Amino acid sequence: SRFSARGRLGYGGGSFTVGGGWVFFVDAASGRLFRQPVGTGLAQPVTPAFGDTGAPVLSPDGQWLLFVHSYEDRDSIEIVDSAGEQWPQKLVSGDDFYMQPAWHPEGRWIAWVEWDHPNMPWDGTRLKLGRLDGAFPRVVDVQVVAGDHRTPVQQPQFAPDGRWLSYILGNGEWDDLVLLNLETSERRVLVHGEKFHLA
């Protein structure tokens, strides 16, 4: 059968990811996550058929998928094994909207962006960092990295060596590219946005 790899969420951060010889994608018709071999082979469902999904991100070891999920007007960040053999579990919930989950290269931390109504993501968001624990991972030790209801932050990305977390932080009408040293908590503005946007 044919699929349309397109998410139905207004936000989230993307409709597909690639890793470990697989393409993981959101099917627009069902809202489910599927995986399909990069070479040849049929698509297989990874998540059950309820709600909408977006922003799938594969863990560094290829074992887990993070994704944004929306069901009955409640949004969350969920996790499922990449083979789709277990039921997805909520990792983060309680706020109105989520987007752009990211894995630390060692797979022990994740970062994400969240915000609440009536804000739009360009009005004010929060970037959070959470440590993972357990055989089926759960989030512990959550901390706010940047942003608030009047300051937008987005596009978190961990450095390949795991020492830094970069993000784009609103600076009035413009944006700054900020680096956070995860070992020392030192912050450095790498690019100061003046009369141009980075997001």
Side-chain angles (χ1 to χ4, degrees):
S1 65
R2 296 187 178 187
F3 294 91
S4 174
R6 180 171 43 88
R8 299 188 300 195
L9 294 177
Y11 310 101
S15 299
F16 72 94
T17 190
V18 180
W22 296 90
V23 177
F24 299 88
F25 65 92
V26 180
D27 171 45
S30 65
R32 301 174 80 175
L33 279 175
F34 283 79
R35 70 176 190 158
Q36 184 165 342
V38 171
T40 59
L42 298 176
Q44 308 161 8
V46 177
T47 58
F50 72 93
D52 292 315
T53 57
V57 187
L58 188 65
S59 64
D61 63 5
Q63 185 177 1
W64 304 100
L65 273 175
L66 288 178
F67 61 97
V68 177
H69 187 253
S70 183
Y71 181 64
E72 295 184 340
D73 295 324
R74 295 190 179 203
D75 289 7
S76 59
I77 293 179
E78 301 197 3
I79 189 169
V80 68
D81 65 288
S82 59
E85 295 174 351
Q86 302 177 63
W87 197 262
Q89 300 292 318
K90 285 185 182 180
L91 275 183
V92 182
S93 62
D95 291 280
D96 290 340
F97 302 103
Y98 297 93
M99 69 179 183
Q100 302 170 344
W103 285 98
H104 186 274
E106 294 177 5
R108 295 186 293 167
W109 293 274
I110 63 170
W112 68 90
V113 175
E114 64 182 36
W115 73 101
D116 296 303
H117 183 81
N119 271 3
M120 299 299 279
W122 49 84
D123 294 324
T125 59
R126 296 173 299 278
L127 171 58
K128 288 191 174 179
L129 179 68
R131 185 170 61 85
L132 296 178
D133 187 41
F136 198 117
R138 58 189 174 86
V139 172
V140 297
D141 299 336
V142 175
Q143 58 181 292
V144 178
V145 173
D148 54 39
H149 69 283
R150 291 180 297 183
T151 308
V153 58
Q154 56 187 303
Q155 295 177 231
Q157 185 71 45
F158 290 99
D161 66 4
R163 293 181 54 216
W164 302 88
L165 175 64
S166 68
Y167 53 91
I168 295 175
L169 184 68
N171 175 19
E173 292 185 38
W174 315 111
D175 307 312
D176 291 343
L177 176 60
V178 181
L179 285 178
L180 170 66
N181 187 315
L182 295 171
E183 297 171 357
T184 67
S185 298
E186 172 197 359
R187 294 167 201 263
R188 182 162 44 120
V189 176
L190 191 64
V191 177
H192 178 67
E194 189 171 348
K195 298 185 179 179
F196 60 87
H197 293 286
L198 296 170

